[in-house]
Amino acid sequence: PDQPISEKKHSIQARDICLAELLYGSGLRISEALALDAGRLSAEAPAVRIMGKGGKERLAPITDTARTALAAWLLLRPTLAAPGERALFVGARGKRLNRREAQRIIEDLCRRAGLPQPISPHGLRHSFATHLLEAGADLRSVQELMGHARLTTTQRYTHLNLAHLMAVYDKAHPKAKE
């Protein structure tokens, strides 16, 4: 309340972009992103330690774009965070964001980007895996990056990869069109 509305709006925009970049660029579950504490993350670090499902720890990469967004958010975070709040992602009242608020943030970003339908936070995670597989990453590596206990869980993402491969095959193979 005691800060200019434009400063608060600017801080919220930086937070929103940072959240989306970490969800997509690192393949984080929404619960993992919201559980992060500000002191555990550095804008220079190439990866962050994540405590995933079942208490399993893994390293999640941080893309250059996410690091840039993180650096911007970390500079502005003090304008929103309540004194003593450790959460990386805080709401307008200064406390840790909850899942529903995060869902609304991603929906709003989709709307502002002009997407025909909103993407859920899990949709960003799904895109992370799908894009890695389409770019040639092996299934086992994607499993590790996603923090899946079983390879069969990661294999759900291969159906889109198979469609992509078939399209490449149809376009490139001389006998595909006969």
Side-chain angles (χ1 to χ4, degrees):
D2 54 344
Q3 59 185 313
I5 200 76
S6 61
E7 181 183 9
K8 189 172 188 175
K9 186 175 181 180
H10 185 64
S11 298
I12 288 171
Q13 288 173 341
R15 176 206 61 200
D16 295 355
I17 296 298
C18 182
L19 177 63
E21 288 294 344
L22 278 175
L23 292 173
Y24 171 71
S26 302
L28 299 182
R29 294 175 179 94
I30 189 62
S31 59
E32 294 168 341
L34 297 179
L36 289 171
D37 288 335
R40 288 191 48 223
L41 213 52
S42 161
E44 293 83 39
V48 60
R49 286 201 183 281
I50 298 295
M51 191 58 68
K53 277 186 170 179
K56 277 185 65 180
E57 190 176 78
R58 74 176 192 283
L59 277 179
I62 303 175
T63 64
D64 291 342
T65 306
R67 279 198 295 274
T68 300
L70 179 62
W73 166 233
L74 288 174
L75 284 175
L76 295 169
R77 182 185 168 278
T79 65
L80 287 183
E85 177 59 62
R86 295 181 357 196
L88 175 62
F89 294 110
V90 296
R93 294 187 176 145
K95 298 295 182 184
R96 188 178 299 270
L97 275 181
N98 65 44
R99 292 176 71 92
R100 186 61 199 128
E101 288 173 298
Q103 172 76 33
R104 277 192 283 261
I105 287 167
I106 300 302
E107 287 172 0
D108 186 54
L109 286 173
C110 291
R111 184 185 50 72
R112 287 188 290 159
L115 296 179
Q117 62 188 31
I119 297 169
S120 68
H122 187 75
L124 293 174
R125 178 173 160 81
H126 186 90
S127 295
F128 166 83
T130 301
H131 293 158
L132 284 173
L133 291 167
E134 285 177 351
D138 66 280
L139 198 58
R140 183 73 178 94
S141 296
V142 174
Q143 175 193 6
E144 285 296 317
L145 290 169
M146 299 288 286
H148 289 154
R150 294 187 307 267
L151 192 60
T152 55
T153 306
T154 312
Q155 285 175 321
R156 286 184 283 172
Y157 298 98
T158 62
H159 72 281
L160 293 176
N161 193 34
L162 181 58
H164 173 74
L165 289 175
M166 292 307 294
V168 169
Y169 170 81
D170 288 343
K171 183 178 177 184
H173 197 284
K175 300 286 186 180
K177 294 174 181 78
E178 290 182 0

